[in-house]
Amino acid sequence: MSTLSTHVLDTAAGRPAEGIRVTLETRGGEPLGEGVTNADGRVSALGPDRLDPGDYVLRFDTSGPFHPEVVVVFTVADPEAHYHVPLLLSPYGYTTYRGS
């Protein structure tokens, strides 16, 4: 079954970003789950036990001066795979990728 986790790193400070609220939604905006990053910047399980194939939205409440919110849209293609979506965050930029 498809599962989801995330990890947020503050690249400006060189450490994990603790206390960031993360929500998972369908592409249509239906909430599926939420969590808050721990001291290691991680939310180890987010959303239901199974994600069906399709597009999903992760919203990171970064409360930054330039990026108050980061929205990542991703596609679940394999319903049996684990999806890990890290966010590397700095005051004026961010990047994301499919982790393992």
Side-chain angles (χ1 to χ4, degrees), residues 27-90:
R27 187 80 157 131
E30 178 186 345
L32 297 175
E34 68 179 14
V36 177
T37 57
N38 62 18
D40 195 32
R42 296 179 185 272
V43 178
S44 59
L46 189 60
D49 291 339
R50 177 184 168 85
L51 294 175
D52 293 325
D55 295 338
Y56 294 88
V57 177
L58 276 176
R59 292 185 182 276
F60 297 85
D61 181 4
T62 57
S63 300
F66 189 69
H67 295 292
E69 176 182 60
V70 172
V71 177
V72 177
V73 179
F74 66 99
T75 300
V76 169
D78 180 356
E80 300 301 318
H82 173 72
Y83 288 82
H84 182 66
V85 183
L87 178 67
L88 306 177
L89 186 62
S90 69

Side-chain angles (χ1 to χ4, degrees), residues 5 82 84 86 97-100:
S5 61
H82 173 72
H84 182 66
Y97 58 96
R98 176 156 183 207
S100 58

